[in-house]
Amino acid sequence: MPDMRVGFMGLGFMGTPMALNLSRKFQLTVWNRTAAKCAPFQATSAAIADTPAVVLRQSDVVFTMLINEAAYRAVLDKDFTDALRGRTIINTSSVSVAFSKFLDEQVRQAGGRYLEMPVSGSRVPAEQGQLVGMLAGDRDEARRVDPLLKTITKAAVYCGEIGMGLRTKFAINLFLITMTAGLAESMNLARAQGLDVNAFGEVLDAGPMASAYSRLKVAKMIAEDWSPQAAISDCSSVTELVQEAAAEVGAETPLMTVCDSLYKEAVSRGFGGDDMISIHQVMTPATNDE
């Protein structure tokens, strides 16, 4: 497996640290639509490709973390599909189940193999190789690439056939997103009541609801540090995917309906690039945050 050639397409907020971790153990080729984002790899042994097709030709397994479905469609040209034969694509982006199944069909028709593995975690876990992967597709292929997955995840849980990894991601993110909004609203009430927010944080840390996540996000709200670990705009996009998935199966998600409205408002007010906990700013008077 150390001799396996690995590719990575999509060097954004999450893709860059994931690819850097892979570059430390494997022969890596990277590509990004905006070439400037390849800069962190110039000081590594990774090769920088001019096109997605070149990544495929120089790799055995290719991870993808493209921004949306339109970005995927843009790379599915003839050169790309011609180079798919014998390659394995592992999609780590959050897309719709229907689109993941479309990608699976396209890759298999071209003679390749396809796995989906959306990930749970933000930039810090990505940098530490501590993401949680929700793996779906052919089980034998999933076992074969497991040594690669260990480089970027602390756990890659097999969830079933194509679509089940994403469905698991949506269920997990429903909890994450509503918990984040609840934590932000709790801090808003604490501030509105004139509480010592540091004492508020200590009480939360001492109780059964404390977690590494709550400690991190409370600290960011106290410091009014909105630098992104997972951006509002990305959270808003995932919220829409969760609601679409729920509608498909008739599941009631009233809390996500509220969160969808909150995150859309945050984006409209210019907070899209801020950390997802900055939803707290939407809950405070406009004169305090604009």
Side-chain angles (χ1 to χ4, degrees):
M1 188 59 71
D3 295 330
M4 182 169 284
R5 301 174 305 159
V6 182
F8 206 104
M9 295 167 45
L11 304 174
F13 197 70
M14 294 288 287
T16 293
M18 292 167 69
L20 284 170
N21 282 331
L22 287 164
S23 73
R24 296 182 182 106
K25 293 188 176 182
F26 300 96
Q27 180 184 342
L28 184 71
T29 302
V30 300
W31 173 86
N32 193 77
R33 180 177 57 180
T34 304
K37 290 189 176 181
C38 296
F41 296 88
Q42 292 174 350
T44 73
S45 61
I48 298 173
D50 293 331
T51 69
V54 171
V55 177
L56 281 176
R57 286 194 285 269
Q58 295 182 182
S59 307
D60 303 302
V61 177
V62 176
F63 291 85
T64 62
M65 181 58 102
L66 303 183
I67 189 168
N68 54 30
E69 295 177 7
Y72 278 94
R73 291 187 185 277
V75 304
L76 290 175
D77 58 19
K78 187 177 185 302
D79 285 345
F80 186 82
T81 55
D82 284 349
L84 276 169
R85 182 167 297 279
R87 272 70 176 184
T88 297
I89 300 292
I90 305 176
N91 171 38
T92 64
S93 296
S94 293
V95 296
S96 68
V97 170
F99 190 74
S100 188
K101 289 182 176 180
F102 165 77
L103 287 176
D104 177 43
E105 180 181 6
Q106 294 296 304
V107 172
R108 286 190 294 105
Q109 285 181 352
R113 296 171 293 271
Y114 176 83
L115 295 169
E116 69 180 26
M117 193 187 72
V119 294
S120 179
S122 57
R123 187 174 182 90
V124 172
E127 291 171 343
Q128 297 172 341
Q130 293 291 295
L131 296 168
V132 178
M134 287 147 280
L135 192 60
D138 182 79
R139 186 183 284 273
D140 289 337
E141 185 62 13
R143 291 192 186 102
R144 189 179 76 88
V145 301
D146 185 64
L148 295 177
L149 307 184
K150 282 180 166 57
T151 306
I152 57 176
T153 70
K154 66 177 179 181
V157 180
Y158 184 77
C159 300
E161 64 185 16
I162 295 297
M164 290 303 180
L166 284 160
R167 289 189 172 105
T168 305
K169 163 86 171 180
F170 298 151
I172 294 296
N173 271 54
L174 189 153
F175 176 52
L176 171 65
I177 290 166
T178 56
M179 177 179 64
T180 301
L183 186 59
E185 189 169 338
S186 181
M187 175 62 83
N188 183 54
L189 179 59
R191 290 189 190 277
Q193 293 181 118
L195 302 185
D196 178 338
V197 292
N198 289 292
F200 165 80
E202 287 184 33
V203 171
L204 181 60
D205 285 351
M209 295 178 294
S211 66
Y213 184 81
S214 68
R215 293 185 185 99
L216 179 64
K217 297 307 183 185
V218 167
K220 287 180 77 66
M221 287 189 287
I222 290 174
E224 297 187 358
D225 170 16
W226 311 124
S227 57
Q229 293 164 326
I232 283 273
S233 57
D234 294 334
C235 185
S236 182
S237 297
V238 172
T239 300
E240 292 181 2
L241 288 171
V242 172
Q243 287 196 293
E244 289 173 8
E248 288 177 4
V249 295
E252 294 294 331
T253 55
L255 293 179
M256 283 300 283
T257 299
V258 174
C259 289
D260 184 41
S261 176
L262 285 170
Y263 281 106
K264 283 179 177 174
E265 181 181 350
V267 171
S268 71
R269 288 174 60 178
F271 305 142
D274 293 344
D275 188 80
M276 62 189 296
I277 197 61
S278 71
I279 196 70
H280 176 60
Q281 297 181 92
V282 174
M283 301 170 183
T284 58
T287 54
N288 290 349
D289 58 25
E290 295 179 351

